[in-house]
Amino acid sequence: MTQANFPAFRPRRRRNSSGLLALTRETRLSVDQLVYPLFIRPKDTFRKEIGSMPGQFQLGYADAEKLVAEAVKLGVRSFLLFGIPDHKDAEGSFAWDTEGVIPTILRRLRHSFGSEILLITDECFCEYTSHGHCGIIQNEGGRVILDNDKTLSNLAKQCVVHAQAGADIVAPSGMLDGMVTGIRSGLDLAGLEHIPILSYSAKYASAFYGPFRDAAESPPQFGDRTSYQMDPANRLEALTEVAQDIAQGADFVMVKPALAYLDIIREVKNASTVPVAAYNVSGEYAMLKAAAQNGWIDEKRAILETLGSIHRAGADILITYHALEAAPWIKNA
Ligand code: PBG
């Protein structure tokens, strides 16, 4: 050492105690940011663990109410609802049935919990169509192309029915062009101008949705979703999608999946003036659970590091299957 003060700056000085670490921590998770997805079946009592998502369940109405009560005790009060209907058809018409699975659970949860909870509905048709695609199919054979504009009017109907049944936020996930405009005008015409839209703006055609398709029983029966979901190789396209959605009046935008797309979350955050959500999807959950169950990683640390990275990348809102297990850890951090 030639100089008494070499090196002048020692970043490690700020890591010398847990007090210093806590004082200088740049990002913090809060339970308020978490959204917990629920898979609902049109039955009263029903609870079945999803094989590829250990710790996650398909739930009947009464069992969902019980789980929501537990979540509220943990401080988690935002939920994203997926329905698994008993009937499917080519258009997915049970999606806008006022007595369908989602309107029913919305009314029940609203009745039991009032404004203590926030209910977000996934607005898509893949759970409701016999072919498992996210709208009306335009062609027969070959590459699957959705009839964008015909599907849009069904989407607006679905959102209106859900908002009337008690949804606080509608979240379209089908990657249709013009979906925010279509839904906004549908809601406004129905006197639902106070209902915000959380658009799945940049949703990639991802392998990480595998376990979800088990959970929601919505795998495509043929073809894939690459003609409507985004190519994982693209970055600028995500910014275009987000800009379009904001221009159409989206109140929140989303990037999905989260972990393979942390760069996109950051760029979307930098480019957006509305809150940004990220969806920590089923495959991301399944990988972590599988490694933890094998004793290959420290589960608690891995979960907190994962959620922390999504927040640090720029997500204000975290949709995650880890919400319930992580809530006490976050609260007591
Ligand atoms: C479509 C939808 C999907 C997910 C959320 N909404 C599946 C898909 O696009 O195939 C995936 C969520 C997850 O993997 O956790 N309704």
Side-chain angles (χ1 to χ4, degrees), residues 37 39 53 80 82 122-127 134 173-174 200 203-204 206 208-213 218 220 225 228-229 256 279-283 321:
F39 299 101
M53 299 174 72
L80 177 61
F82 294 96
D122 181 85
E123 304 292 347
C124 193
F125 297 102
C126 56
E127 298 96 342
C134 302
S173 65
Y200 284 65
K203 177 175 178 180
Y204 288 88
S206 171
F208 293 101
Y209 305 149
F212 172 95
R213 293 177 187 173
S218 62
R225 306 211 201 289
Y228 44 102
Q229 298 181 347
K256 178 186 170 189
Y279 200 139
N280 176 210
V281 301
S282 57
Y321 304 100

Side-chain angles (χ1 to χ4, degrees), residues 87-161:
H87 307 286
K88 303 185 189 232
D89 62 23
E91 269 199 57
S93 60
F94 289 95
W96 59 89
D97 176 1
T98 54
E99 302 309 313
V101 52
I102 292 296
T104 306
I105 189 65
L106 284 168
R107 285 189 291 264
R108 283 188 64 154
L109 291 174
R110 192 52 76 209
H111 180 259
S112 305
F113 297 93
S115 56
E116 204 184 348
I117 56 172
L118 192 84
L119 296 172
I120 308 170
T121 44
D122 181 85
E123 304 292 347
C124 193
F125 297 102
C126 56
E127 298 96 342
Y128 299 89
T129 50
S130 39
H131 43 71
H133 282 284
C134 302
I136 299 168
I137 294 179
Q138 175 174 291
N139 54 320
E140 269 173 45
R143 190 167 160 73
V144 173
I145 307 287
L146 295 185
D147 188 324
N148 192 84
D149 300 8
K150 267 198 209 153
T151 304
L152 274 186
S153 53
N154 288 347
L155 183 64
K157 275 193 276 187
Q158 182 188 29
C159 290
V160 168
V161 167

